[in-house]
Every structure is written in structure tokens, then in C-alpha cells.
Amino acid sequence: MSGELETTASRCHFWLPNKRRHCANTPLPSSVYCGNHNPSSAPKRVPCPIDPSHTVLQDSLELHVKRCPFKKQVDALEAKPYYSKSINAGDSNEPTVSSADKRGSIHRLSTSDFWGLINKIKSVHSSVVQVLRDSYLVPESCEKWLKGQLDKSLPYQEKHVVQQASILGNMESFGILQKENNDAIAGTENSKSEVRKNDVAVVEFGAGRGYLTQMLADCYSARKVFLIERRSYKLKADRSLRQNESIALERLRIDIEDLNLCGVDSLKGVPYLATGKHLCGPATDLTINCCMGENRKEGKGEIKGLAIATCCHHLCQWKHYKNKKFLSDIGINKKEFHAMTWFSSWAVDGDHSSDDPSIEDEAKPLKVCEKTEAHSDSGGIERIIRSMPAIERAAFGFMCKEIIDTGRLLWLKENEFDAQLVSYVPFSISPENHLLIAKRQS
């Protein structure tokens, strides 16, 4: 036993969690740690400017940048004709606000200002937001997916298949997606080549593994598809899609913020539908900008319709948001907008003790208000928030999400689109159940 203690004492005290033991190196004479792990002598590490997902020693930064393994990928991407740095980002001079900064700003409010902001947002919600229509539609075309008739090895969960099916069902119901061989697509009984010439392409933003597109291709025979995703995924649907000789597939690994659709040669002059399942935070605004922003040029493919399932509103940023005029008209400034995005996380951040969508009812008061105001000096904003019942926090979070999506909806309507905002799946399937759907007015 004494030998074991002696061995441990002679080792560096830095714990290696992956190996579940201490570092085996000998510690420095004046420290319990070795030279690699001694906090006082540890060199500073900084994020790599090429790919901030990893860090490097500050002293080696200049050398690392020249041989970073991600440099070739970045250089190859920047050489693409569809790459244009921050083309869809909105105001490039506007800083990004972190969730911690949003939270800090709210927690620094006085009690009266906090409740004033809460009541202002509730008043705005009651004046501008219409009750979302339930539109859970599972089309007949998708029944084979729901009944499990496809390859069981596909790595998807049932709840995701249901969401994908309802997105497509709403697209069909709204008139921007037609069944295979529908006269609206083919016009007449033409040859296969003539039909394909008139096909509408599908561009899926934030495509992930691409299973929304695979369902669309399987159930509606989409023949020209583009998958936009900045990350690399395993178990993608690409292999299955490429095995279908009638499908032309392109996957573009790029951030939506930097995507110039005018540079995609195979999309030039081709009408297309834009889709996206759970486009997190500002990705919805970036997608709208990408398809319909001021940077679009003549000769572009024309967007015919759009169906985006929004989510993660707490990540939204003022610099990206598409309808700042709407916010200005309802009296919401930049600071209040960022507070509203932070509040939106309340909709999905805990046990709401109910799967009833009626928790979104705008008339439901935050009953804790008067009680908490009376004792506000004892605990500050954090205490006030913790004392709110979870279901009432959730109701307020949904109000914030609906205001943000209503601004996007109104922007589409003001720009020659017939648009709707619907609840496309029950709350019990996913609380992130907003679908923004639009088609160009003829």
C-alpha cells in the first residue's frame, strides 16, 4: 500500500479522464505537475483562425496557419464560384451577441424594467400574432415510409419521419409540390426527357444527412436536388440517392451565410423549391436572404416556393434578422429583440408538465408576477425567473418564438409571396413545430 502511495506521489498530479489515471510523467521540483501540465508554465492556446473548432499554441500560430489540415478545405471552398464570404449575413458591421451576453443583459435589469419588458412582449404578441393553425398533414405518398416499408437500416427515428412527412404534406396541400405524374408537373404524357426538362429542382438548406430530400425523392420523384450543409455527416442519404439514375444530386458543403446560389451553374435558370427541417436560429433568415435577398442577380433560378421548419430561436441575431422594420414598427429595439430570443428558450428548456399546445395561449397570465414583485428585493431577476411555474415560462417562450416567426412571415407577404405560418406537428411530437411555407404569387 505504501509503495502505491509513493508511486502516485512521484507522478504528475494531472488527471487524464480518458485513461482514468494521473499523468505518468515526473513532476517539476517546485510543483506537483510535470512541465506539460503545470498551470503556471502552460503556454497560451488560441483558436485557429482557419477553423476555430481547434486551438493552437499562440507562439506557433503563424507556422500552424501555413500547414493547418483545414487550410486546403478552406482554399478549395473559396475557389468555388458559389462562395461569397458573408453574402447573406445582413449587416456585417453588427456584432454577434452570445447567449451569455443576452442572459447577462436581462439579469442586470431592475425588477420594474424586467416586468415592463415581459408585459411589453405580451402586449406585442396579442396585437400582431394570429393563432397558429394546426396543420398536421401526412400525405398518402409518404405512407410507405411511415409503415416501415423502406430499408430498416436507415438511421432515422420515427418522430423525424413524421415531421418530414408533414412538411411534404403541407407543401402538397399548399400547392408547391405535386404528386408524381400529376398534370401540374408533366402537362401531358410526354417522354421522360421532356418531363425532366420541366422539373422543379429542390434545394434543402441545413440538410444534415439529407433524409427529408430522400423522402421527397422517393415519394414525389424529385429528380434534381441540392443538399446545402456546412458540416460533414456519416450515414448520409447521398449513397441511396445516387444509386437512383434518374436523380441528379449535388451536395455543397458550405455555410448558408456564404452561399451565392447564382454561382451554382447547374441551378442557373432552373426554378426551384427551398426546404429545410429545423433551420436553427439565424439559418432561416440566411436562407431567405440566400433565395430572395438583394444580392440575387439576373439569370438566376427562380424560387417557386419555400417550406422551412424553424427552431432554436434563442440563437437568432439582430444582424441576420430579415424584418427589422417589423420590429421597429411594433416598438422592439435591438436590445429587446435579443432579450426576446433568450426568453424563447423557455419554450423548450424543461419539464412543462403538459403536452397540450394550449400552453401557448396568449391570454394565459404569468400568475407569479404580483407575488414576485412584492418580494423582488430578496433575490433579484434570477430568483424571479426561478419562481415562475415552468408551464408559464414555456407559454411566454412560445410567444417570443411566434413574434420572431411572424416577422419572417410578414416579410414574405410583403415581397410577392403567398405565405402561412402553421403548426405542422403536434406539440407531443416536437415543441419546435413551426412551419413557414410560401409560394410565389402569379
Side-chain angles (χ1 to χ4, degrees), residues 106 109 112-122 332 336 339-340 343 396:
I106 292 170
L109 294 173
S112 59
D113 287 343
F114 175 79
W115 285 115
L117 178 59
I118 293 285
N119 291 327
K120 179 178 182 178
I121 292 172
K122 290 173 62 180
I332 297 293
E336 292 168 334
M340 191 164 60
F343 287 136
F396 185 70

Side-chain angles (χ1 to χ4, degrees), residues 198-209:
N198 296 319
D199 274 346
V200 175
V202 175
V203 183
E204 183 182 354
F205 291 85
R209 294 183 173 90

Side-chain angles (χ1 to χ4, degrees), residues 46-56 60-78 83 85 230 253 255 258:
V46 295
C48 171
I50 296 175
D51 179 18
S53 67
H54 67 281
T55 61
V56 296
S60 306
L61 182 60
E62 185 176 350
L63 179 62
H64 172 82
V65 167
K66 295 179 181 179
R67 59 186 187 186
C68 176
F70 293 96
K71 189 176 188 303
K72 289 184 178 180
Q73 295 180 16
V74 172
D75 290 344
L77 176 60
E78 291 179 352
Y83 176 87
K85 180 67 175 176
R230 65 182 178 180
R253 187 177 173 186
D255 195 310
D258 304 322

Side-chain angles (χ1 to χ4, degrees), residues 34 81 87 109 139 147 152 176 278 294 340 384 389 425 427:
C34 68
I87 188 173
L109 294 173
K147 291 179 179 178
K152 289 290 186 181
I176 62 175
H278 290 179
E294 297 175 357
M340 191 164 60
I384 294 174
V425 290
F427 180 86

Side-chain angles (χ1 to χ4, degrees), residues 38-314:
N38 188 24
S40 61
S41 63
K44 185 177 180 181
R45 300 187 70 87
V46 295
C48 171
I50 296 175
D51 179 18
S53 67
H54 67 281
T55 61
V56 296
L57 296 176
Q58 188 173 34
D59 294 342
S60 306
L61 182 60
E62 185 176 350
L63 179 62
H64 172 82
V65 167
K66 295 179 181 179
R67 59 186 187 186
C68 176
F70 293 96
K71 189 176 188 303
K72 289 184 178 180
Q73 295 180 16
V74 172
D75 290 344
L77 176 60
E78 291 179 352
K80 300 292 185 183
Y82 50 77
Y83 176 87
S84 184
K85 180 67 175 176
S86 300
I87 188 173
N88 303 313
D91 187 355
S92 58
N93 296 321
E94 187 70 39
T96 298
V97 181
S98 69
S99 293
D101 288 339
K102 293 176 182 180
R103 179 182 183 275
S105 180
I106 292 170
H107 281 237
R108 286 191 294 270
L109 294 173
S110 67
T111 302
S112 59
D113 287 343
F114 175 79
W115 285 115
L117 178 59
I118 293 285
N119 291 327
K120 179 178 182 178
I121 292 172
K122 290 173 62 180
S123 176
V124 165
H125 180 273
S126 64
S127 64
V128 302
V129 174
Q130 296 182 354
V131 177
L132 267 65
R133 175 173 60 86
D134 289 333
S135 187
Y136 178 40
L137 303 174
V138 177
E140 182 181 347
S141 306
C142 298
E143 284 296 324
K144 62 181 180 179
W145 277 73
L146 296 176
K147 291 179 179 178
Q149 295 174 0
L150 293 181
D151 186 353
K152 289 290 186 181
S153 66
L154 288 176
Y156 61 75
Q157 294 178 317
E158 183 178 357
K159 68 175 183 178
H160 295 303
V161 178
V162 169
Q163 292 174 61
Q164 293 162 3
S166 187
I167 291 173
L168 301 186
N170 275 278
M171 293 173 70
E172 181 182 322
S173 175
F174 200 57
I176 62 175
L177 189 64
Q178 287 80 32
K179 295 179 182 178
E180 183 181 9
N181 297 326
N182 191 301
D183 287 345
I185 299 179
T188 59
E189 294 296 328
N190 295 326
S191 68
K192 183 175 180 180
S193 61
E194 290 174 322
V195 174
R196 291 195 62 172
K197 183 173 63 178
N198 296 319
D199 274 346
V200 175
V202 175
V203 183
E204 183 182 354
F205 291 85
R209 294 183 173 90
Y211 286 102
L212 173 60
T213 291
Q214 180 166 6
M215 178 181 281
L216 198 155
D218 287 347
C219 303
Y220 291 87
S221 295
R223 296 183 175 92
K224 195 175 186 67
V225 295
F226 298 81
L227 303 178
I228 313 299
E229 174 57 57
R230 65 182 178 180
R231 293 174 54 193
S232 176
Y233 279 90
K234 296 180 179 179
L235 305 175
K236 298 190 293 285
D238 301 38
R239 180 178 179 182
S240 174
L241 288 168
R242 294 186 193 280
Q243 287 176 347
N244 188 333
E245 295 181 356
S246 67
I247 295 176
L249 168 68
E250 289 188 46
R251 178 179 280 269
L252 309 181
R253 187 177 173 186
I254 186 173
D255 195 310
I256 302 171
E257 182 175 315
D258 304 322
L259 175 61
N260 181 1
L261 282 181
C262 299
V264 182
D265 291 337
S266 51
L267 192 60
K268 290 181 178 178
V270 178
Y272 67 93
L273 303 177
T275 66
K277 176 179 175 286
H278 290 179
L279 277 175
C280 292
T284 294
D285 302 297
L286 296 173
T287 295
I288 293 174
N289 235 5
C290 183
C291 298
M292 311 164 205
E294 297 175 357
N295 298 308
R296 305 292 286 140
K297 301 175 183 178
E298 294 298 325
K300 63 183 180 295
E302 180 185 12
I303 182 169
K304 294 294 186 181
L306 170 146
I308 293 177
T310 65
C311 78
C312 300
H313 297 73
H314 62 283

